[in-house]
């Protein structure tokens, strides 16, 4: 029992710290691109700014809309945050470094990510606000659409690795990372990750110009903070999943394997995190019809066709048998 509690603390605490300083890195990089100063007052170089923001949200009063469903309104951010933490249980950070190893780790991640829609739709409906409800509907349709693309992209990796276990998928890339033979799928998977986490250029559910922040418009204080933490934890999760599926996880490139695996894992995640931030800085937002057309008419047929092609090649050369 004590070991389980200790493992849980060592999983959640670093994750929350990483999310906090992810927000600081985002603000610093965006300010640099826009030729202005980012956070630089609270602490040296603004390093204490995330802690100050967290404290501010913690001490603020939670405002409940007069006509909301109170139980569901409070439950929605808790559910979203809990599910974002639950996904990290099967992520391997290095050789033998994981909370739990499941032979169906990929299916577990897909199941948890599909449940994440409920937190958003409950938040939009329970707020009793048209803006929040419209944002929730947009987000739900977007997440469901791009989960199909992500699922078929993962299938191509699974047939190459012959396993649903995340550790086995990483170890199967010792000779070549899957981003090389599956390069188009690698690109589509990353773009779909942007859509799945509601980030630029697919941040339609939180479009400030039309929806006044979308499904979380009625939330304040800790309710908003939990949504915020859940969203950024999901971005880190998608970055880590992209690293595991296509960049060899903790495996070192070339002959640099004397450096510990967790260092490489963190470095690769940082690369994708920076790409998330750069996408927000330099890309305009899609229209909603363009977003849906890209998901259903371009990405979905391509990933399905690539999965069939990959399976055919592997069977032809008896690699899948």
């Amino acid at each position: 029992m004590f070991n389980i509690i200790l493992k849980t603390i060592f999983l959640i605490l670093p994750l929350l710290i990483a999310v906090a300083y992810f927000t600081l890195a985002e603000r610093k990089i965006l300010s640099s691109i826009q030729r202005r100063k980012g956070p630089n007052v609270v602490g040296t170089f603004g390093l204490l700014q995330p802690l100050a923001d967290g404290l501010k949200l913690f001490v603020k009063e939670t405002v409940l809309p007069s006509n909301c469903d109170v139980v569901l309104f409070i439950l929605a951010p808790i559910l979203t945050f809990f599910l974002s933490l639950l996904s990290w249980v099967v992520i391997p950070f290095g050789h033998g470094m994981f909370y739990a190893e499941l032979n169906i780790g990929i299916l577990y991640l897909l199941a948890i990510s599909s449940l994440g829609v409920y937190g958003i739709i409950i938040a939009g409906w329970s707020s009793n606000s048209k803006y929040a409800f419209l944002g929730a509907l947009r987000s739900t349709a977007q997440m469901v659409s791009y989960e199909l693309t992500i699922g078929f992209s993962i299938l191509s990796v699974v047939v190459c690795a012959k396993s649903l276990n995340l550790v086995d998928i990483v170890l199967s890339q010792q000779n070549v990372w899957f981003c090389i033979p599956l390069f188009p799928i690698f690109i589509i998977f990353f773009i779909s990750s942007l859509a799945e986490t509601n980030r630029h250029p697919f941040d339609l559910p939180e479009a400030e110009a039309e929806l006044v922040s979308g499904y979380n418009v009625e939330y304040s204080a800790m309710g908003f903070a939990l949504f915020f933490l859940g969203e950024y934890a999901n971005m880190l999760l998608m970055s880590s999943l992209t690293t595991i599926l296509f960049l060899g996880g903790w495996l070192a490139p070339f002959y640099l394997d004397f450096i510990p695996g967790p260092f490489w894992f963190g470095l690769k995640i940082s690369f994708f995190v920076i790409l998330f931030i750069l996408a927000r800085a330099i890309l305009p937002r899609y229209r909603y019809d363009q977003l849906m057309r890209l998901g259903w008419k371009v990405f979905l047929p391509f990933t399905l066709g690539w999965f069939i092609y990959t399976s055919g090649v592997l069977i032809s050369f008896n690699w899948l048998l």
Side-chain angles (χ1 to χ4, degrees):
M1 184 64 182
F2 179 74
N3 288 338
I4 294 175
I5 295 173
L6 201 61
K7 285 174 68 175
T8 305
I9 292 173
F10 275 109
L11 177 68
I12 294 177
L13 198 58
L15 177 61
L16 294 180
I17 295 172
V19 168
Y21 282 92
F22 178 11
T23 63
L24 179 64
E26 180 176 37
R27 295 170 70 178
K28 286 284 191 181
I29 294 172
L30 289 177
S31 63
S32 177
I33 291 172
Q34 296 163 1
R35 296 177 65 86
R36 61 180 174 82
K37 288 185 178 180
N40 64 341
V41 176
V42 185
T44 307
F45 302 115
L47 290 177
L48 298 181
Q49 186 68 50
L51 305 181
D53 291 338
L55 180 63
K56 179 197 73 171
L57 290 170
F58 183 74
V59 300
K60 283 180 72 173
E61 178 187 0
T62 301
V63 179
L64 298 176
S66 56
N67 294 322
C68 74
D69 187 316
V70 177
V71 176
L72 292 179
F73 186 81
I74 295 173
L75 178 65
I78 297 173
L79 178 63
T80 300
F81 179 64
F82 178 71
L83 289 174
S84 69
L85 293 182
L86 211 57
S87 303
W88 285 89
V89 168
V90 294
I91 298 294
F93 301 96
H95 192 68
M97 297 178 62
F98 42 76
Y99 187 93
E101 183 180 6
L102 295 179
N103 287 329
I104 52 169
I106 290 290
L107 295 181
Y108 172 84
L109 283 175
L110 290 175
I112 296 297
S113 67
S114 64
L115 291 175
V117 175
Y118 289 102
I120 291 174
I121 199 72
I122 289 172
W125 184 82
S126 64
S127 299
N128 199 25
S129 164
K130 292 184 177 64
Y131 287 114
F133 187 58
L134 183 55
L137 290 179
R138 276 186 171 191
S139 182
T140 303
Q142 179 174 322
M143 291 174 74
V144 169
S145 300
Y146 281 85
E147 271 179 8
L148 288 171
T149 301
I150 287 175
F152 280 118
S153 301
I154 291 174
L155 275 178
S156 296
V157 174
V158 167
V159 295
C160 290
K162 301 181 186 177
S163 176
L164 293 169
N165 189 319
L166 292 172
V167 175
D168 291 343
I169 290 174
V170 171
L171 295 177
S172 65
Q173 300 177 65
Q174 288 177 333
N175 295 325
V176 60
W177 293 351
F178 287 149
C179 65
I180 296 174
L182 302 177
F183 185 74
I185 294 297
F186 168 56
I187 298 298
I188 288 176
F189 184 86
F190 179 72
I191 296 173
S192 300
S193 299
L194 293 173
E196 180 73 10
T197 52
N198 299 329
R199 292 287 291 185
H200 268 75
F202 308 111
D203 64 331
L204 276 302
E206 299 173 10
E208 292 87 356
E210 312 101 67
L211 295 180
V212 203
S213 187
Y215 59 87
N216 56 14
V217 66
E218 300 291 347
Y219 283 89
S220 60
M222 281 309 294
F224 175 80
L226 289 176
F227 270 125
F228 194 76
L229 289 170
E231 179 181 339
Y232 278 76
N234 281 330
M235 277 189 274
L236 288 173
L237 176 72
M238 294 308 296
S239 298
S240 65
L241 192 56
T242 309
T243 298
I244 289 169
L245 294 176
F246 296 100
L247 287 188
W250 66 83
L251 298 178
F254 306 116
Y255 298 101
L256 299 175
D257 51 359
F258 59 89
I259 300 176
F263 170 81
W264 290 112
F265 190 72
L267 192 65
K268 294 171 186 177
I269 289 178
S270 300
F271 170 73
F272 288 112
V273 162
I274 291 172
L275 289 183
F276 268 93
I277 299 170
L278 291 179
R280 179 177 179 182
I282 63 179
L283 296 175
R285 182 184 299 132
Y286 269 54
R287 279 201 327 263
Y288 199 71
D289 61 313
Q290 293 173 330
L291 169 80
M292 285 300 171
R293 178 185 171 278
L294 183 69
W296 287 99
K297 293 187 176 181
V298 180
F299 283 180
L300 184 60
F302 184 87
T303 51
L304 180 57
W306 188 276
F307 168 63
I308 296 171
Y309 167 74
T310 304
S311 303
V313 169
L314 294 177
I315 290 173
S316 299
F317 290 93
N318 294 321
W319 291 340
L320 199 59
L321 300 178

